[in-house]
Amino acid sequence: MHRMISVPALTLCLAIAGAATSFDALAEPTAEDAKDYRSAIMTAMRGHIAAISMQLRGLVEDNGFLAEHAQALASTAAEVGHVFQPGSNVGDSEALPEIWERP
């Protein structure tokens, strides 16, 4: 079952996207930005995996959102190959050294 996004939620998403786009021209991406983005992607994936796991184990009701979590996980996972950019290995990381040596 597809859920329709509410008009206020859509308006908020468009406002955030518009603000992010307008600020994009102001800043040059840094290695720290790439690391933060990678962390956000991995955190999002972890959240969807946890929600799916809890639903499949019967710890919470599905309420029709299992498919949405699966789709979001698939969409987010598609970015993994793009988030380990050369030079973005800054600060503390849980990534294995091999990810940087053999991408």
Side-chain angles (χ1 to χ4, degrees), residues 65-102:
F65 292 106
L66 182 61
E68 282 83 356
H69 283 295
Q71 180 58 49
L73 179 59
S75 297
T76 308
E79 291 193 63
V80 170
H82 304 285
V83 298
F84 289 93
Q85 297 296 320
S88 66
N89 186 15
V90 296
D92 293 332
S93 174
E94 294 179 30
L96 296 174
E98 289 81 15
I99 201 79
W100 307 107
E101 297 162 7
R102 296 180 296 147

Side-chain angles (χ1 to χ4, degrees), residues 2 37 39 42 47 75 100:
H2 287 293
Y37 183 71
S39 178
M42 296 306 209
S75 297
W100 307 107

Side-chain angles (χ1 to χ4, degrees), residues 9-69:
L10 179 59
T11 303
L12 178 62
C13 288
L14 291 174
I16 291 169
T21 301
S22 64
F23 290 122
D24 185 43
L26 300 176
E28 192 69 31
T30 66
E32 188 67 33
D33 295 331
K35 176 192 174 273
D36 291 346
Y37 183 71
R38 177 175 56 250
S39 178
I41 292 296
M42 296 306 209
T43 299
M45 289 178 58
R46 185 177 0 210
H48 290 297
I49 290 168
I52 290 168
S53 173
M54 292 178 75
Q55 289 177 0
L56 292 177
R57 290 183 292 145
L59 300 177
V60 296
E61 287 187 44
D62 176 347
N63 292 325
F65 292 106
L66 182 61
E68 282 83 356
H69 283 295

